[in-house]
Amino acid sequence: MNQQPQPDRIIIFDTTLRDGEQCPGATLNVDEKLAIARQLARLGVDVIEAGFAFASPGDFEAVQKIAKTVGTEDGPIVCSLARAIKADIEAAAEALKPARHARIHTFISTSDIHLEYQLKKSRAEVLAIAEEMVAYAKSFMDDVEFSTMDATRTDPEYLYQVLERAIAAGATTINIPDTVGYSMPSEFGELIRGIKENVPNIDQAVISVHGHNDLGVGVANFLEAVKNGARQLECTINGIGERAGNASLEELVMALHVRRQYYNPFLGRPADSEEPLTNIDTRQIYKTSRLVSNLTGMLVQPNKAIVGANAFAHESGIHQDGILKNKLTYEIMDAQSIGLNDNQIVLGKHSGRNAFRTRLKELGFDLSETDLNKAFLRFKDLADKKKEMSDWDLEAIVNDEIQQAPELFRLELVQVSCGDRARPTATVTLRTPTGEELTDAAIGTGPVDAVYKAMNRVVNVPNQLIEFSVQSVTAGIDAIGEVTIRLRHSDRVYSGHAANTDIIVASAQAYVNALNRLYASLQSEKNPSVPPDEQITTVAPVAIQGSREQA
């Protein structure tokens, strides 16, 4: 779906895998990025910004794999970010080669404060660089996007000059970022209108917007931009991203969907047109939100618009009475429109592998044979413990399997003892990267704290637990509990996630996942050219020592 300028609809540019990943603690590995990219393609986004190819070998590999796997003939445009520097642009072009439809997104700062303190360059120098680097990107591919970083604090007259030169050099999309989340909706709309009126060749490019939510008006800014001529929106799933995050994809898409009669005239359509304003399959929204939340460890707050747990919940008696009589009294959209449904019993302990595979495909999961076998074993184990299995249970199982960290340390045993007259004590056994089984025990303020202290005694890698959260996937005493944790080590944050009907086991496994990410990072720093799962044969485990009893 290689998109040309189409002023009668909105192009959705998803930057979850690039800007969204810059969220502290949201670092994703290549396989996790690929899983999200596949789901973004199912969601129907027009452009996937797969990463910043020059930033690291891992980012380059992720962009390249996404380009090859998702960048098919009928798939989305795959994009890589690049500074206005030749080496960045060359790396982006190389990583994007496998994609049938590819885009280089190059950028440079334009505000005086950035020019003076960050770039230490004059306006004339930046103008020349922008023109030269857009032309250089154009020599690799036709689809080139150019961004003016900190556009909302840039002198408008200078901004017009930079944009005109960039378009003349070959930019097919020009992006106006509110980099620091400073602008207000009316100001942002006025900026877009000024660009439409004062850049002579603006009709040769799509106007795009990118914005952060520091003052809570990211989505409002984008909707105002649409009214004034913006036709591409750069957003993220669940609004994740640097600092307070980005404008939220699901909020933008559903605002344009629910209120399309309001926005139709701004896109030259009849006000009563029922044609969708985006290519997004809204029924994939909730599933995509859950996947991103699980893989990044960034939980969605209950009152989050569209995808929060309370978005379609009604506690007020008056509201409940109205909903029972007519949903339209207190709901402006149907929960099913974002992929929520009331499916409860879908499979049971007597279900076979083929039924399991078929149901997963219906839910949008296309697993490899290895991942399917692992997920099926988890399903059978859970089905023995639960009388009723829901789609949410299945999603929790699959998401837990596909997001596993490299299995360096492996949990072999966890056992706890606690009560109101006992000191919480935990015993754990871990298999180390060298295959050795180590067992230790610890006392904590609670059973989970005791488990974590025992694990730290075994692994002996300094870290600080900065976040621990538990949420139930479904209702009931036998519900699956999902645990997400975040560890800090040397100013870097590592997340871990696990799901189990036993919350202690889920907590232990989530901690192991986070420790594995931490450990793999330490090994990569020692041998950057060797993949973490291969380094265990050449690098001794980190500080595994002391008086621990071997299992």
Side-chain angles (χ1 to χ4, degrees):
M1 62 176 76
N2 195 5
Q3 304 299 339
Q4 299 299 323
Q6 296 185 46
D8 65 338
R9 78 169 184 87
I10 302 301
I11 297 167
I12 299 298
F13 177 113
D14 182 273
T15 185
T16 302
L17 298 176
R18 200 277 301 169
D19 198 322
E21 200 205 8
Q22 293 174 202
C23 215
T27 302
L28 301 164
N29 62 35
V30 174
D31 290 338
E32 291 166 340
K33 283 191 171 188
L34 199 54
I36 292 175
R38 287 194 179 105
Q39 181 57 32
L40 291 174
R42 295 186 196 103
L43 180 64
V45 303
D46 299 288
V47 186
I48 295 176
E49 189 164 47
F52 192 163
F54 186 79
S56 70
D59 252 33
F60 183 94
E61 182 187 3
V63 173
Q64 191 174 56
K65 281 194 173 181
I66 291 169
K68 182 178 181 180
T69 307
V70 182
T72 57
E73 181 61 40
D74 58 349
I77 296 169
V78 180
C79 172
S80 175
L81 189 68
R83 293 169 299 179
I85 297 172
K86 283 190 174 182
D88 280 40
I89 292 169
E90 290 164 1
E94 182 64 27
L96 290 168
K97 276 184 178 178
R100 295 302 303 269
H101 310 297
R103 173 183 297 181
I104 294 175
H105 179 191
T106 188
F107 71 96
I108 194 168
S109 293
T110 53
S111 68
D112 288 336
I113 190 170
H114 277 214
L115 266 59
E116 181 179 355
Y117 294 103
Q118 185 183 42
L119 296 182
K120 301 189 184 303
K121 294 185 182 297
S122 68
R123 286 186 175 186
E125 288 175 308
V126 168
L127 193 61
I129 292 170
E131 185 173 31
E132 180 187 0
M133 290 301 102
V134 168
Y136 190 60
K138 193 75 173 180
S139 71
F140 291 98
M141 60 189 64
D142 290 333
D143 193 349
V144 175
E145 178 170 338
F146 173 72
S147 285
T148 51
M149 183 180 279
D150 206 23
T152 53
R153 295 192 297 175
T154 299
D155 172 28
E157 295 302 322
Y158 177 60
L159 182 63
Y160 304 152
Q161 293 178 46
V162 177
L163 296 176
E164 181 181 359
R165 295 275 281 272
I167 295 169
T172 49
T173 301
I174 55 100
N175 182 45
I176 313 303
D178 185 16
T179 305
V180 294
Y182 178 73
S183 190
M184 289 290 107
S186 59
E187 294 174 317
F188 202 56
E190 185 179 345
L191 177 62
I192 302 304
R193 185 167 62 252
I195 290 168
K196 287 272 290 183
E197 294 172 351
N198 293 284
V199 177
N201 52 0
I202 193 63
D203 60 336
Q204 298 174 29
V206 172
I207 298 178
S208 175
V209 289
H210 176 106
H212 287 265
N213 205 37
D214 296 74
L215 296 175
V217 293
V219 168
N221 280 346
F222 277 29
L223 294 174
E224 196 67 21
V226 166
K227 291 164 60 176
N228 286 278
R231 292 297 175 262
Q232 176 176 285
L233 306 181
E234 304 196 2
C235 42
T236 62
I237 302 298
N238 299 334
I240 66 173
E242 281 211 86
R243 303 185 313 278
N246 287 260
S248 164
L249 182 148
E250 60 276 4
E251 294 176 23
L252 287 164
V253 167
M254 292 310 292
L256 292 168
H257 177 73
V258 172
R259 298 302 311 276
R260 55 189 177 277
Q261 280 75 28
Y262 174 79
Y263 287 101
N264 277 334
F266 296 106
L267 281 81
R269 300 181 177 197
D272 59 354
S273 172
E274 291 295 328
E275 286 295 310
L277 295 179
T278 73
N279 279 340
I280 296 296
D281 179 358
T282 62
R283 294 166 299 177
Q284 294 287 334
I285 284 177
Y286 185 76
K287 186 183 305 173
T288 311
S289 168
R290 290 269 300 173
L291 180 65
V292 170
S293 175
N294 287 338
L295 292 184
T296 60
M298 305 295 295
L299 296 181
V300 176
Q301 70 267 30
N303 63 324
K304 168 78 165 62
I306 313 301
V307 292
N310 294 345
F312 294 93
H314 301 274
E315 173 125 356
S316 162
I318 294 174
H319 286 217
Q320 290 173 345
D321 179 66
I323 288 293
L324 290 172
K325 292 173 179 175
N326 188 321
K327 282 189 175 183
L328 293 177
T329 54
Y330 289 101
E331 283 188 359
I332 59 173
M333 56 190 153
D334 190 333
Q336 292 184 353
S337 68
I338 66 163
L340 281 169
N341 58 59
D342 297 325
N343 250 344
Q344 289 300 321
I345 306 175
V346 290
L347 292 173
K349 65 179 180 180
H350 300 297
S351 300
R353 189 184 308 270
N354 187 48
F356 181 69
R357 184 203 305 268
T358 300
R359 186 63 191 128
L360 291 185
K361 284 189 174 181
E362 291 173 357
L363 291 172
F365 295 104
D366 188 12
L367 302 185
S368 67
E369 199 63 30
T370 300
D371 286 342
L372 178 70
N373 289 338
K374 290 166 63 179
F376 184 68
L377 290 175
R378 284 284 306 277
F379 159 71
K380 295 294 278 188
D381 180 61
L382 179 63
D384 281 333
K385 301 174 182 176
K386 293 196 63 168
K387 293 181 180 180
E388 297 182 355
M389 295 283 287
S390 72
D391 287 349
W392 289 354
D393 292 323
L394 296 179
E395 287 180 12
I397 291 171
V398 176
N399 288 333
D400 196 32
E401 286 300 328
I402 65 178
Q403 68 176 305
Q404 293 296 320
E407 196 174 73
L408 304 175
F409 290 97
R410 189 172 73 192
L411 181 66
E412 297 291 345
L413 175 144
V414 57
Q415 182 175 309
V416 298
S417 172
C418 59
D420 65 345
R421 294 289 187 270
R423 299 189 68 182
T425 306
T427 302
V428 298
T429 298
L430 294 179
R431 185 180 296 276
T432 74
T434 57
E436 183 181 16
E437 283 193 6
L438 296 177
T439 297
D440 212 330
I443 295 172
T445 56
V448 174
D449 181 50
V451 168
Y452 289 175
K453 284 179 177 176
M455 284 186 179
N456 278 331
R457 285 165 61 91
V458 172
V459 178
N460 201 18
V461 177
N463 67 80
Q464 178 188 6
L465 179 65
I466 60 173
E467 182 178 321
F468 174 85
S469 60
V470 182
Q471 63 179 26
S472 172
V473 174
T474 53
I477 194 68
D478 59 355
I480 291 179
E482 289 185 327
V483 175
T484 299
I485 70 160
R486 295 165 75 192
L487 304 177
R488 178 182 287 125
H489 173 83
S490 298
D491 295 325
R492 291 194 63 185
V493 178
Y494 303 88
S495 64
H497 176 90
N500 199 288
T501 51
D502 187 322
I503 203 64
I504 301 298
V505 175
S507 300
Q509 192 60 63
Y511 205 71
V512 170
N513 289 344
L515 287 171
N516 279 335
R517 286 189 169 91
L518 191 166
Y519 183 85
S521 176
L522 293 177
Q523 299 299 336
S524 295
E525 290 172 6
K526 290 185 176 183
N527 282 310
S529 62
V530 182
D533 58 350
E534 295 178 15
Q535 291 173 5
I536 60 173
T537 62
T538 58
V539 180
V542 177
I544 297 180
Q545 58 188 8
S547 56
R548 282 178 295 281
E549 174 189 355
Q550 289 196 14

